[in-house]
Amino acid sequence: MRAVDLIARKRDKGKLSTAEIEWLIRAFTHGEIPDYQMAAWAMAVVLQGMDADETADLTLAMARSGAMLDLHDLVPLTGDKHSTGGVGDKTTLVLAPLVAAAGLPMAKMSGRGLGFSGGTIDKLESIPGFQVELAIDAFRRAVYDVGLVLAAQTTDLAPADKRLYALRDVTATVESIPLIAASVMSKKLAAGADCIVLDVKYGSGAFMRQPEQARQLAHMMVAIGQHAGRNVAALLSSMEQPLGNAIGNALEVREAIATLQGHGPPDLVELCLHLGTQLLLLAGLAADEPAAHAVLRQTLESGAAWHKFRQMVANQGGDLTVLDDLQRLPQAPIMLPLRAPHTGYITAIDTQVLGMAVNELGGGRMHKTDTIDPAVGLVLAAHIGDLVEAGAPLLHIHAASYAAAARVAPSLLAAYTIGDTLHIPPPLVLEVIH
Ligand code: URA
């Protein structure tokens, strides 16, 4: 086989066979296909697309390019969750202990933040001592001992995706629904979970701006997972405004802990209950949605989910005394309110601008090697649909210096639309896809 023939076929809207896709991925992973040919192929896919068979073949080929975790010798079933990325999205920190405490062990490998979107691993690292880099043995032991593990993705999982994603990142070939679906699902399949819930976000703070694109991606990922024999469901959820109030690593950990202690923001609680419900149903641990919902509510209200989170933190070396005294989480020295310029209803928030502001404050990274300041971020004081008086705070900027806070304030203010008529925000969960 020759890479040039496969590139040409895709360029001309042709279809690749299972054997051809397997060959392409194996040869690329082993360095036998140069980056320029793989990038040309990726661009052909961006322009011409791939059908469901090709996408499933690509996903499996990438999943099988490295280790495929199997956790069945430890526990009968495990759960996993993936979000397509958003602003203030600390859902995993709440959902994973919630579902684990309700009886489904959660074994999740997560990513770091990049661009405007945060990452669970960065958030967890704001807890002093917490180890995110676990060897496979330690990951497996945590599944058995605690029934909950949140760790960084190991390098031997889906290495083909790692190489291809790095190439797509610099060749303008990320924006393809089949390539994104295969990339995400290859990692999920390799990580070994039986039950997978996908939180596919749309809106001003999501990679997919329109629900229709998000819906297509969700359908494709669910089909891939089911084709590979896993139980998969997806939610389409709104990222028209940040989730909860906090954006920024330690600020989000604080909000997640408040949620696990029973006083979280209603939207975050609602999303976690929705996602958790799907996981319990996929695992056969509840008969229907109301039953799953009731179990999860009870798990949250009894403190069982909070206890599970503490067990995980202790197991992964985190300092439990910090969880008892949240003042000891990293805190920014400056807190500056951003005030409403006039009275009116908040009708829109350009959520991506808020994510980028946290990045500029030092809370995120533009390059994979950047270091981050866990303390900085934003805390919203008002949401879409709220009536704000002139001079009332829209949010508070947590910054390393007054100058840093002042630098982001103008773009933050421009991100808010304040009008005369009430605007009802879109529903948080648009639909569930099975
Ligand atoms: N996230 C991934 O893991 N892969 C993509 O292709 C896009 C987002």
Side-chain angles (χ1 to χ4, degrees), residues 203-334:
S204 67
F207 290 100
M208 307 275 161
R209 290 298 173 112
Q210 301 304 327
E212 191 40 48
Q213 294 169 296
R215 187 176 290 115
Q216 263 186 43
L217 178 64
H219 276 289
M220 201 170 267
M221 292 197 293
V222 169
I224 293 170
Q226 290 173 346
H227 180 262
R230 311 294 168 95
N231 302 333
V232 191
L235 251 57
L236 286 195
S237 74
S238 165
M239 208 6 100
E240 289 295 0
Q241 57 183 334
L243 189 66
N245 300 317
I247 315 167
N249 297 293
L251 293 167
E252 291 189 41
V253 166
R254 201 180 282 262
E255 188 165 80
I257 289 173
T259 307
L260 287 164
Q261 291 177 335
H263 33 91
D267 57 344
L268 176 60
V269 175
E270 184 189 337
L271 185 61
C272 291
L273 291 174
H274 268 289
L275 291 163
T277 293
Q278 293 308 319
L279 274 172
L280 293 194
L281 291 176
L282 291 172
L285 290 176
D288 54 22
E289 287 195 6
H293 202 271
V295 167
L296 292 167
R297 267 232 165 270
Q298 160 65 15
T299 307
L300 197 56
E301 283 164 12
S302 68
W306 169 229
H307 179 68
K308 188 56 82 179
F309 182 84
R310 294 177 63 94
Q311 270 185 293
M312 173 191 71
V313 170
N315 188 56
Q316 292 184 229
D319 185 348
L320 279 183
T321 64
V322 173
L323 300 192
D324 295 326
D325 176 10
L326 295 179
Q327 299 304 324
R328 293 179 49 217
L329 277 172
Q331 290 198 63
I334 302 292

Side-chain angles (χ1 to χ4, degrees), residues 81-87 89 91-92 108 112 114 116-119 165 174 177 180-181 183-185 188 197-203 205-210 213-219 221 234-239 271 275:
K81 169 254 177 186
H82 180 83
S83 156
T84 56
V87 176
D89 183 7
T91 310
T92 294
K108 174 155 170 54
R112 294 186 183 277
L114 195 63
F116 66 84
S117 170
Y165 191 69
V174 170
I177 288 180
I180 296 173
S183 168
V184 169
M185 291 308 289
K188 294 287 112 184
V197 69
L198 305 165
D199 183 12
V200 183
K201 298 195 175 290
Y202 71 90
F207 290 100
M208 307 275 161
R209 290 298 173 112
Q210 301 304 327
Q213 294 169 296
R215 187 176 290 115
Q216 263 186 43
L217 178 64
H219 276 289
M221 292 197 293
L235 251 57
L236 286 195
S237 74
S238 165
M239 208 6 100
L271 185 61
L275 291 163

Side-chain angles (χ1 to χ4, degrees), residues 338-364:
L338 181 81
R339 299 190 184 281
H342 54 87
T343 298
Y345 291 100
I346 300 178
T347 56
I349 302 175
D350 188 335
T351 305
Q352 187 164 331
V353 170
L354 272 55
M356 284 316 292
V358 173
N359 215 307
E360 277 172 48
L361 288 167

Side-chain angles (χ1 to χ4, degrees), residues 73-204:
D73 55 331
L74 306 166
V75 287
L77 276 182
T78 50
D80 194 354
K81 169 254 177 186
H82 180 83
S83 156
T84 56
V87 176
D89 183 7
K90 68 284 291 175
T91 310
T92 294
L93 300 179
V94 179
L95 175 74
L98 176 62
V99 169
L104 176 64
M106 291 291 286
K108 174 155 170 54
M109 294 196 185
S110 292
R112 294 186 183 277
L114 195 63
F116 66 84
S117 170
T120 301
I121 291 304
D122 294 330
K123 293 170 202 187
L124 284 166
E125 277 186 337
S126 57
I127 301 172
F130 192 93
Q131 292 302 311
V132 294
E133 306 290 344
L134 297 187
I136 289 293
D137 275 356
F139 185 87
R140 286 170 50 82
R141 202 169 331 113
V143 173
Y144 185 76
D145 289 346
V146 184
L148 172 60
V149 55
L150 297 178
Q153 193 183 304
T154 61
T155 46
D156 48 358
L157 232 63
D161 173 66
K162 196 177 165 103
R163 281 197 67 180
L164 183 57
Y165 191 69
L167 197 57
R168 289 167 57 212
D169 208 18
V170 293
T171 56
T173 51
V174 170
E175 288 81 359
S176 150
I177 288 180
L179 289 181
I180 296 173
S183 168
V184 169
M185 291 308 289
S186 66
K187 289 173 282 206
K188 294 287 112 184
L189 298 182
D194 309 279
C195 306
I196 303 166
V197 69
L198 305 165
D199 183 12
V200 183
K201 298 195 175 290
Y202 71 90
S204 67

